[in-house]
Amino acid sequence: MEPTDPDTGATPADDDAAQTPTTISHCATLNEAQMAVSLLSSFGIEARIEGENYLRMLGSMVAGSDGIRVQVRQADAEAALEILDPGPESDFDEN
């Protein structure tokens, strides 16, 4: 049986899972991925581009089949998705 945090009831395994990187976006270009990371950073969410150094070295010679992956901690994934895709603008007047 794993010990639990008395304040939150979380186990160390739960904490590890929350820290696991998860892909939230697939971008077509490195610039697009960097803009997403910058936007998330401005909201206080730590994000990274998987294999960024590799992509910088080889550039467009290695176009990934599923795009360039932007990753955040699993605990931040829901908030990050909302920031990157906020949905329809509610106060936008089309008239």
Side-chain angles (χ1 to χ4, degrees):
M1 184 163 178
E2 292 187 46
T4 60
D5 183 343
D7 295 329
T8 64
T11 65
D14 292 338
D15 192 39
D16 288 344
Q19 299 299 321
T20 303
T22 186
T23 300
I24 56 155
S25 181
H26 297 267
C27 300
T29 66
L30 185 56
N31 286 341
E32 182 183 347
Q34 289 169 329
M35 289 187 337
V37 168
S38 178
L39 177 63
L40 293 170
S41 178
S42 72
F43 280 89
I45 296 176
E46 185 179 331
R48 71 182 191 102
I49 299 169
E50 183 185 25
E52 182 174 10
N53 291 334
Y54 178 72
L55 291 165
R56 285 180 185 271
M57 255 182 7
L58 298 177
S60 61
M61 296 185 330
V62 290
S65 60
D66 62 348
I68 299 169
R69 293 183 290 265
V70 175
Q71 296 183 328
V72 299
R73 290 183 301 236
Q74 193 170 18
D76 295 330
E78 188 175 329
L81 287 170
E82 190 172 313
I83 291 166
L84 293 179
D85 186 21
E89 195 67 36
S90 60
D91 59 354
F92 180 71
D93 187 11
E94 294 183 12
N95 294 331

